[in-house]
């Protein structure tokens, strides 16, 4: 009898990526682009003179408050929308979560582009935030469940790369359209209309995107799951599909255990190991948001203005900042699967704190001065913060959260983490204009102090999930009795693999892998 370790050498002997898997990930990453563009379109918009004059933000007494509200209400929509995503993703499938999110982005983009007044604009900024943050969570949920474990970091990092590409599109479009001097209100309306393009493409193509095999097994649609898993993880070097068959058995065993477990938010709060996951989840995104990265992005024009630069230069620097970020995110794709998850994030957060401390020192001593070398250094440090953030944090936070939750709670876990991003940004973005105007460099301490503490906590207390199959990570939290494939010596017989149909294997005859495993046994 041939025997296979459920998580032994067989799983990592051939680290090859199925081209179909890659194509699907690249297509679904349109959802990542939807988030990046929708989240960043406001940054260049706030710097457009036609926007501030159309809504009279430069003359009305509540102009500063409304300026803050355009970001604050977007983030509020993100909190509420994201927490509802788990219902859609669990009931209608991971594709269903993508569909609902993309639809909200299309509707909100269309109305924002045609907004006749500030009230309408703010209402649909709420729905834009809901859709954007829902899709920010929906994409890595789908990705994490369809990629092989040994490449999960690199492939889910594509989510981080493409969302930064979305930021770039919005920023460069804003910079370019600023030079359309006779455009009137079209200079800020057109970017919101473009917001509809990316989710529309995603919705059209979702028909051909495979559903998560794990969700299908959860819903007892086993035959569909088998066929999809073959297409996603098929390897030309394994014509008998032994690896895919074995992976299917492990997933099926794990979900058989998961379906016996409660799935409510109350259960998450009551059970200690799930509470630990929840605290790690909100800690991960909360500490990472202490980097201040979104404040720098959304209020970049204000920061550059404070350093003495004119509007055109503010927009140019904002776009260049994001282009630099895109390059760094692309490089990080090659390092994510080689270093400890928690320590990489801890180093990233601490690096951001060092850079913010330097920036605070420059703002404290040289703003409103004629020391142009120091002011240029202030811009340089705003760029430099991208290095620790994009190498260690941007994509990794989504990879990590998607890994630490079991399949029956993964949508809830990812929603919780992304909702924390929205919640933290409500605090930062709502307060930023007033704080920067009134307390200046002291505002940076609100990021530096909790961020430094967070880096230490991450380094010492967060578990490392590098390279582990999703079905085995529960053991890191003490849930050994809830893990079908935890023990390295758990074995799956060749008869069990033979009985997994739907993989296009011809009957009769043993495979090379089975003979090899039998010899080992």
């Amino acid at each position: 009898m041939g025997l296979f370790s459920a998580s032994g050498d067989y799983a990592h002997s051939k680290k090859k990526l199925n081209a179909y898997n890659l194509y699907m990930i690249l297509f679904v990453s349109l959802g990542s682009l939807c988030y990046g563009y929708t989240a960043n379109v406001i940054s260049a918009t706030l710097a457009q003179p036609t926007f501030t004059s159309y809504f009279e933000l430069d003359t009305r007494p509540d102009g500063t408050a409304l300026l803050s509200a355009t970001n604050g209400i977007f983030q509020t929509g993100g909190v509420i929308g994201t927490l509802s995503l788990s219902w859609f993703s669990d009931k209608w499938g991971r594709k269903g979560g993508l569909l609902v999110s993309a639809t909200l982005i299309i509707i909100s983009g269309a109305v924002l582009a045609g907004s006749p007044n500030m009230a309408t604009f703010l209402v649909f900024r709420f729905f834009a935030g809901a859709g954007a943050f829902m899709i920010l969570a929906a994409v890595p949920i789908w990705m994490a469940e369809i990629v092989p474990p040994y490449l999960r970091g690199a492939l889910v990092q594509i989510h981080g790369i493409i969302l930064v590409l979305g930021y770039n599109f919005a920023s460069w479009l804003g910079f370019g359209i600023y030079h359309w001097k006779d455009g009137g209100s079209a200079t800020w309306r057109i970017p919101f209309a473009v917001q509809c393009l990316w989710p529309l493409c995603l919705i059209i193509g979702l028909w051909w995107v495979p559903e998560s095999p794990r969700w299908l097994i959860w819903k007892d649609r086993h035959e569909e799951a088998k066929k999809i898993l073959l297409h996603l993880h098929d390897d030309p070097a394994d014509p008998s599909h032994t690896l895919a068959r074995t992976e299917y058995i492990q997933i099926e065993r794990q979900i058989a255990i998961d379906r016996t477990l409660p799935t409510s938010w109350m259960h998450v709060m009551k059970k200690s190991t799930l509470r630990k996951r929840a605290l790690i989840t909100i800690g991960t995104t909360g500490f990472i948001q202490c980097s201040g990265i979104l404040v720098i992005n959304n209020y970049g024009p204000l920061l550059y203005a404070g350093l003495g630069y004119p509007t055109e230069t503010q927009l140019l620097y904002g776009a260049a900042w994001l282009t630099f970020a895109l390059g760094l995110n692309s490089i990080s794709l090659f390092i994510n699967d080689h270093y400890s998850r928690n320590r990489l994030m801890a180093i990233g957060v601490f690096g951001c704190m060092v850079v913010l401390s330097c920036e605070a020192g420059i703002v404290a001593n040289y703003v409103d001065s004629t020391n142009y070398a120091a002011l240029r250094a202030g811009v340089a440090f705003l760029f430099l913060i991208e290095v620790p953030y994009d190498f260690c944090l941007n994509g990794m936070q989504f990879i990590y959260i998607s890994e630490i939750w079991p399949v029956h709670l993964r949508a809830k876990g990812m929603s919780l983490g992304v909702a924390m991003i929205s919640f933290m940004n409500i605090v930062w973005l709502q307060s930023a204009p007033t704080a920067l105007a009134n307390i200046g460099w002291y505002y940076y301490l609100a990021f530096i102090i909790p961020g430094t503490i967070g880096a230490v906590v991450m380094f010492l207390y967060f578990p490392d999930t590098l390279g582990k199959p999703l079905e085995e990570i529960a053991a890191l939290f003490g849930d050994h009795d809830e893990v079908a494939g935890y023990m390295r010596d758990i074995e799956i017989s060749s008869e069990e693999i033979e009985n997994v149909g739907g993989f296009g294997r011809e009957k009769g005859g043993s495979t090379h892998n089975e003979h090899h495993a039998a010899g080992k046994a």
Side-chain angles (χ1 to χ4, degrees):
M1 178 186 298
L3 297 173
F4 292 80
S5 168
S7 54
D9 294 339
Y10 84 88
H12 304 285
S13 61
K14 297 182 177 67
K15 297 186 179 182
K16 295 183 178 179
L17 177 62
N18 184 308
Y20 174 73
N21 199 320
L22 178 61
Y23 295 152
M24 290 298 99
I25 288 172
L26 290 174
F27 178 77
V28 172
S29 67
L30 272 174
S32 314
L33 194 150
C34 290
Y35 167 78
Y37 186 93
T38 305
N40 193 43
V41 68
I42 194 66
S43 180
T45 299
L46 295 180
Q48 297 288 357
T50 55
F51 178 80
T52 54
S53 62
Y54 183 88
F55 290 118
E56 301 177 342
L57 297 178
D58 50 348
T59 57
R60 57 194 299 174
D62 59 349
T64 301
L66 290 173
L67 183 73
S68 299
T70 60
N71 276 307
I73 202 164
F74 181 87
Q75 303 296 329
T76 303
V79 172
I80 297 173
T82 304
L83 290 176
S84 71
L85 173 69
S86 60
W87 187 87
F88 295 110
S89 291
D90 288 339
K91 185 175 180 61
W92 295 346
R94 307 322 193 197
K95 288 172 61 176
L98 292 167
L99 177 62
V100 172
S101 309
T103 302
L104 281 173
I105 295 173
I106 291 174
I107 294 171
S108 61
V111 178
L112 287 168
S115 294
N117 52 59
M118 200 62 187
T120 303
F121 188 87
L122 290 177
V123 168
F124 282 88
R125 276 290 287 173
F126 174 89
F127 290 108
F133 279 93
M134 286 172 72
I135 211 163
L136 179 64
V139 170
I141 292 171
W142 180 88
M143 284 184 173
E145 294 188 353
I146 64 99
V147 300
Y150 45 83
L151 291 172
R152 192 163 54 236
L155 295 179
V156 180
Q157 174 65 27
I158 293 175
H159 175 54
I161 295 171
I162 303 301
L163 74 82
V164 174
L165 182 62
Y167 271 86
N168 270 273
F169 282 162
S171 195
W172 282 110
L173 177 60
F175 174 71
I177 209 166
Y178 168 79
H179 295 85
W180 185 17
K181 299 303 181 183
D182 299 325
S185 65
T187 58
W188 64 265
R189 293 186 189 276
I190 288 176
F192 284 107
V194 173
Q195 176 181 308
C196 305
L197 174 62
W198 323 114
L200 181 61
C201 293
L202 178 63
I203 288 175
I204 292 172
L206 271 180
W207 177 264
W208 293 277
V209 170
E211 182 54 88
S212 161
R214 288 173 168 88
W215 183 83
L216 290 171
I217 295 172
W218 179 264
K219 295 296 183 180
D220 288 323
R221 293 161 61 178
H222 296 266
E223 292 304 316
E224 291 179 69
K226 292 172 189 175
K227 292 177 182 179
I228 288 173
L229 194 63
L230 168 64
H231 286 300
L232 290 170
H233 294 179
D234 187 27
D235 185 348
D238 180 29
S240 62
H241 314 303
T242 304
L243 302 183
R245 288 168 179 258
T246 309
E247 182 182 11
Y248 173 83
I249 292 170
Q250 185 178 16
I251 294 171
E252 189 175 48
R253 285 182 176 184
Q254 183 60 52
I255 291 177
I257 295 174
D258 291 343
R259 70 169 64 254
T260 67
L261 305 173
T263 60
S264 68
W265 283 111
M266 187 59 67
H267 178 63
V268 172
M269 295 300 103
K270 285 182 177 180
K271 187 174 181 182
S272 61
T273 56
L274 294 178
R275 280 202 310 274
K276 182 178 179 180
R277 285 181 176 89
L279 290 173
I280 288 174
T281 295
I282 61 178
T284 297
T285 51
F287 292 143
I288 288 174
Q289 287 310 300
C290 288
S291 65
I293 202 75
L294 200 62
V295 172
I296 295 173
N297 179 74
N298 284 35
Y299 292 121
L302 293 180
L303 297 174
Y304 298 127
L307 292 171
Y309 292 94
T311 300
E312 183 175 354
T313 305
Q314 295 165 28
L315 291 170
L316 177 61
Y317 280 172
W321 186 80
L322 288 166
T323 303
F324 182 50
L326 181 62
L328 293 174
N329 270 277
S330 301
I331 296 172
S332 70
L333 184 148
F334 300 100
I335 68 173
N336 279 343
D337 287 315
H338 298 281
Y339 299 97
S340 168
R341 301 274 202 245
N342 62 312
R343 294 186 175 184
L344 191 65
M345 291 190 295
I347 291 169
V349 172
F350 185 74
C352 289
M353 298 307 103
V354 172
V355 175
L356 281 180
S357 298
C358 296
E359 182 69 21
I362 291 172
V363 172
N365 292 286
Y366 298 107
V367 165
D368 297 327
S369 75
T370 56
N371 190 330
Y372 296 111
L375 296 178
R376 286 193 292 270
V379 173
F381 276 109
L382 291 178
F383 275 74
L384 188 59
I385 199 171
E386 291 282 13
V387 176
Y389 182 82
D390 291 307
F391 268 143
C392 306
L393 302 175
N394 186 35
M396 183 57 69
Q397 59 188 320
F398 304 109
I399 298 166
Y400 190 67
I401 294 171
S402 69
E403 290 177 334
I404 66 174
W405 290 89
V407 66
H408 66 296
L409 292 171
R410 184 162 295 120
K412 282 184 170 65
M414 183 59 73
S415 297
L416 183 64
V418 174
M420 185 61 179
I421 295 176
S422 303
F423 176 76
M424 292 289 287
N425 287 330
I426 291 172
V427 177
W428 300 141
L429 296 180
Q430 196 69 17
S431 62
T434 303
L436 290 170
N438 291 289
I439 63 173
W441 73 270
Y442 290 100
Y443 184 55
Y444 289 90
L445 296 179
F447 301 96
I448 295 169
I449 295 172
T452 303
I453 295 171
V456 174
V457 172
M458 286 176 141
F459 191 90
L460 296 178
Y461 299 109
F462 281 24
D464 181 22
T465 57
L466 177 64
K468 295 185 180 295
L470 294 177
E471 284 66 41
E472 296 186 5
I473 289 173
L476 296 176
F477 294 89
D479 291 330
H480 298 272
D481 58 330
E482 296 181 5
V483 186
Y486 166 67
M487 297 295 289
R488 287 284 171 182
D489 59 354
I490 283 181
E491 295 174 330
I492 298 172
S493 70
S494 56
E495 283 80 2
E496 285 183 273
I497 297 173
E498 180 70 29
N499 290 332
V500 177
F503 281 80
R505 178 183 175 179
E506 295 180 3
K507 292 184 178 180
S510 58
T511 67
H512 169 77
N513 286 331
E514 288 175 331
H515 282 305
H516 176 68
K520 289 178 67 176

